[in-house]
Amino acid sequence: LKLSISFFDDVDFNKAMAELENNGIRTTVQLAHANMAFIEINPEDIEILVAKPFVKYVDIIPDLGTPESDDGRNLHRANAIDGDYFGSRQYDGTGIAVAVNDDGAVGPHIDYTGRVNQDDVAGDFTGDHGDMVAGIVGAAGNLDPTMRGMAPACYMHIRQYVSSMAGTMPLHIDSNVLI
């Protein structure tokens, strides 16, 4: 059985992991910074695990997610306002500016060509979560039409995420950006 376990904050992570291993519990992933681990355990040993004083909670590891792609467009009802069928409204984001506040620069990618302003990115080229978010928002579907975003013709202002979202209101007021 594959489980996720969490330890109380005041527990020495390494000592807790050593005790689990001494009890024959196999660790597959250790997340010391979060006081968590993924383990494999025989179902009959669960009571032994939860009786440990350092165990905060135990949960079943969920199945891997599945990509949504066009199914996601259908679930979000974007297919009803920008569809590939006769009678759809064809609202594709033309004339709309959108801000994406995330982990830094996106692309380069053929789906964003000519529709991205990254002036507010502070040189962070390490993350890829922002690429995914920008793709969900405005990928044109040039490379793969089934992976088109929710507003494939919008103009995107890509910004470095800062919790205070500094500069957001001027971007909205001066550039008519939707946040």
Side-chain angles (χ1 to χ4, degrees), residues 99-104 119-124 157-169 171 179:
V100 175
N101 291 291
D102 212 296
D103 67 358
D119 292 345
D120 289 334
V121 176
D124 183 353
H157 290 263
I158 307 300
R159 306 183 70 226
Q160 186 74 37
Y161 177 77
V162 176
S163 61
S164 67
M165 293 187 147
T168 301
M169 286 310 295
L171 191 61
I179 310 297

Short mmCIF file of all heavy atoms in Angstrom, two decimals, residues 99-104 119-124 157-169 171 179:
data_model
loop_
_atom_site.label_atom_id
_atom_site.label_comp_id
_atom_site.label_asym_id
_atom_site.label_seq_id
_atom_site.Cartn_x
_atom_site.Cartn_y
_atom_site.Cartn_z
N ALA A 99 -3.07 39.39 -17.65
CA ALA A 99 -1.82 39.28 -16.88
C ALA A 99 -1.69 37.87 -16.32
O ALA A 99 -2.66 37.30 -15.83
CB ALA A 99 -1.79 40.28 -15.73
N VAL A 100 -0.50 37.31 -16.44
CA VAL A 100 -0.18 36.02 -15.84
C VAL A 100 0.94 36.27 -14.85
O VAL A 100 2.07 36.55 -15.24
CB VAL A 100 0.24 34.97 -16.90
CG1 VAL A 100 0.67 33.68 -16.23
CG2 VAL A 100 -0.88 34.72 -17.89
N ASN A 101 0.63 36.22 -13.56
CA ASN A 101 1.62 36.42 -12.50
C ASN A 101 2.08 35.05 -12.05
O ASN A 101 1.36 34.34 -11.36
CB ASN A 101 0.99 37.16 -11.31
CG ASN A 101 0.66 38.58 -11.63
OD1 ASN A 101 1.55 39.39 -11.80
ND2 ASN A 101 -0.61 38.90 -11.74
N ASP A 102 3.31 34.67 -12.44
CA ASP A 102 3.76 33.32 -12.09
C ASP A 102 5.26 33.30 -11.89
O ASP A 102 5.84 34.28 -11.44
CB ASP A 102 3.31 32.32 -13.16
CG ASP A 102 3.05 30.95 -12.57
OD1 ASP A 102 4.00 30.33 -12.06
OD2 ASP A 102 1.90 30.49 -12.62
N ASP A 103 5.93 32.20 -12.29
CA ASP A 103 7.31 31.97 -11.90
C ASP A 103 8.36 32.53 -12.85
O ASP A 103 9.52 32.17 -12.75
CB ASP A 103 7.56 30.48 -11.66
CG ASP A 103 7.46 29.64 -12.92
OD1 ASP A 103 7.16 30.19 -13.99
OD2 ASP A 103 7.68 28.43 -12.84
N GLY A 104 8.00 33.38 -13.77
CA GLY A 104 9.02 33.99 -14.63
C GLY A 104 8.68 33.89 -16.09
O GLY A 104 7.53 33.73 -16.48
N ASP A 119 8.19 42.26 -20.12
CA ASP A 119 9.02 43.32 -19.55
C ASP A 119 9.09 43.28 -18.02
O ASP A 119 10.04 43.75 -17.43
CB ASP A 119 8.51 44.69 -19.99
CG ASP A 119 8.69 44.94 -21.48
OD1 ASP A 119 9.46 44.19 -22.12
OD2 ASP A 119 8.05 45.87 -22.00
N ASP A 120 8.06 42.74 -17.37
CA ASP A 120 8.01 42.71 -15.91
C ASP A 120 8.64 41.46 -15.30
O ASP A 120 8.57 41.25 -14.10
CB ASP A 120 6.57 42.83 -15.41
CG ASP A 120 6.01 44.22 -15.63
OD1 ASP A 120 6.80 45.18 -15.69
OD2 ASP A 120 4.77 44.35 -15.74
N VAL A 121 9.24 40.61 -16.13
CA VAL A 121 9.90 39.41 -15.61
C VAL A 121 11.31 39.79 -15.20
O VAL A 121 12.05 40.37 -15.98
CB VAL A 121 9.92 38.27 -16.66
CG1 VAL A 121 10.70 37.08 -16.14
CG2 VAL A 121 8.51 37.87 -17.02
N ALA A 122 11.68 39.41 -13.97
CA ALA A 122 12.97 39.83 -13.42
C ALA A 122 14.10 38.85 -13.75
O ALA A 122 14.90 38.50 -12.91
CB ALA A 122 12.83 39.97 -11.90
N GLY A 123 14.15 38.40 -14.98
CA GLY A 123 15.26 37.53 -15.39
C GLY A 123 15.18 36.11 -14.88
O GLY A 123 16.16 35.39 -14.91
N ASP A 124 14.02 35.67 -14.42
CA ASP A 124 13.87 34.30 -13.93
C ASP A 124 13.49 33.40 -15.09
O ASP A 124 12.39 33.46 -15.61
CB ASP A 124 12.80 34.24 -12.84
CG ASP A 124 12.66 32.85 -12.24
OD1 ASP A 124 13.29 31.91 -12.74
OD2 ASP A 124 11.93 32.72 -11.25
N HIS A 157 0.46 39.60 -20.68
CA HIS A 157 1.52 40.29 -19.95
C HIS A 157 2.03 39.30 -18.91
O HIS A 157 1.33 38.99 -17.94
CB HIS A 157 0.98 41.55 -19.25
CG HIS A 157 0.60 42.64 -20.19
ND1 HIS A 157 1.44 43.68 -20.48
CD2 HIS A 157 -0.52 42.83 -20.92
CE1 HIS A 157 0.86 44.49 -21.35
NE2 HIS A 157 -0.33 43.99 -21.63
N ILE A 158 3.22 38.77 -19.14
CA ILE A 158 3.80 37.79 -18.22
C ILE A 158 4.58 38.54 -17.15
O ILE A 158 5.41 39.40 -17.46
CB ILE A 158 4.74 36.81 -18.97
CG1 ILE A 158 4.02 36.19 -20.18
CG2 ILE A 158 5.29 35.76 -18.03
CD1 ILE A 158 2.79 35.39 -19.84
N ARG A 159 4.30 38.23 -15.88
CA ARG A 159 4.90 38.95 -14.77
C ARG A 159 5.49 37.98 -13.77
O ARG A 159 4.98 36.89 -13.59
CB ARG A 159 3.85 39.82 -14.09
CG ARG A 159 3.14 40.72 -15.10
CD ARG A 159 2.13 41.64 -14.47
NE ARG A 159 2.87 42.62 -13.71
CZ ARG A 159 2.55 42.97 -12.47
NH1 ARG A 159 1.54 42.44 -11.86
NH2 ARG A 159 3.26 43.88 -11.84
N GLN A 160 6.54 38.42 -13.12
CA GLN A 160 7.14 37.65 -12.02
C GLN A 160 6.17 37.71 -10.85
O GLN A 160 5.71 38.78 -10.46
CB GLN A 160 8.47 38.29 -11.63
CG GLN A 160 9.24 37.51 -10.61
CD GLN A 160 9.87 36.28 -11.22
OE1 GLN A 160 10.30 36.31 -12.35
NE2 GLN A 160 9.88 35.21 -10.47
N TYR A 161 5.84 36.57 -10.26
CA TYR A 161 4.91 36.56 -9.14
C TYR A 161 5.55 37.19 -7.90
O TYR A 161 6.65 36.84 -7.50
CB TYR A 161 4.45 35.15 -8.79
CG TYR A 161 3.55 35.13 -7.58
CD1 TYR A 161 2.22 35.53 -7.70
CD2 TYR A 161 4.03 34.79 -6.33
CE1 TYR A 161 1.39 35.55 -6.61
CE2 TYR A 161 3.21 34.81 -5.23
CZ TYR A 161 1.88 35.19 -5.36
OH TYR A 161 1.06 35.23 -4.27
N VAL A 162 4.82 38.11 -7.31
CA VAL A 162 5.16 38.70 -6.02
C VAL A 162 3.85 38.73 -5.26
O VAL A 162 2.81 39.13 -5.80
CB VAL A 162 5.72 40.14 -6.18
CG1 VAL A 162 5.98 40.78 -4.84
CG2 VAL A 162 6.95 40.14 -7.04
N SER A 163 3.84 38.27 -4.01
CA SER A 163 2.59 38.12 -3.28
C SER A 163 1.79 39.41 -3.16
O SER A 163 0.57 39.39 -3.13
CB SER A 163 2.86 37.54 -1.89
OG SER A 163 3.68 38.40 -1.14
N SER A 164 2.46 40.56 -3.14
CA SER A 164 1.74 41.83 -3.05
C SER A 164 1.17 42.26 -4.40
O SER A 164 0.37 43.18 -4.49
CB SER A 164 2.67 42.93 -2.54
OG SER A 164 3.68 43.20 -3.51
N MET A 165 1.62 41.56 -5.47
CA MET A 165 1.21 41.88 -6.84
C MET A 165 1.46 43.35 -7.17
O MET A 165 0.63 44.03 -7.77
CB MET A 165 -0.24 41.49 -7.11
CG MET A 165 -0.46 40.00 -7.08
SD MET A 165 -2.12 39.62 -7.60
CE MET A 165 -1.87 38.07 -8.39
N ALA A 166 2.62 43.83 -6.75
CA ALA A 166 3.00 45.23 -6.98
C ALA A 166 2.91 45.57 -8.47
O ALA A 166 3.28 44.78 -9.32
CB ALA A 166 4.42 45.46 -6.49
N GLY A 167 2.41 46.74 -8.77
CA GLY A 167 2.31 47.21 -10.16
C GLY A 167 1.11 46.66 -10.91
O GLY A 167 0.94 46.93 -12.09
N THR A 168 0.26 45.91 -10.24
CA THR A 168 -0.89 45.31 -10.92
C THR A 168 -1.93 46.36 -11.31
O THR A 168 -2.43 46.34 -12.43
CB THR A 168 -1.52 44.22 -10.04
OG1 THR A 168 -0.52 43.23 -9.76
CG2 THR A 168 -2.70 43.57 -10.72
N MET A 169 -2.25 47.25 -10.41
CA MET A 169 -3.27 48.25 -10.72
C MET A 169 -2.86 49.18 -11.87
O MET A 169 -3.66 49.42 -12.77
CB MET A 169 -3.64 49.06 -9.47
CG MET A 169 -4.50 48.27 -8.49
SD MET A 169 -5.95 47.46 -9.24
CE MET A 169 -6.91 48.86 -9.76
N LEU A 171 -0.98 48.43 -14.34
CA LEU A 171 -1.07 47.60 -15.54
C LEU A 171 -2.54 47.51 -15.98
O LEU A 171 -2.84 47.60 -17.17
CB LEU A 171 -0.53 46.20 -15.23
CG LEU A 171 -0.30 45.27 -16.41
CD1 LEU A 171 0.71 45.85 -17.39
CD2 LEU A 171 0.19 43.91 -15.92
N ILE A 179 -7.03 41.06 -14.80
CA ILE A 179 -6.22 40.37 -13.81
C ILE A 179 -6.97 39.14 -13.34
O ILE A 179 -8.10 39.20 -12.97
CB ILE A 179 -5.91 41.28 -12.60
CG1 ILE A 179 -5.36 42.62 -13.04
CG2 ILE A 179 -5.00 40.57 -11.62
CD1 ILE A 179 -4.05 42.59 -13.77
#
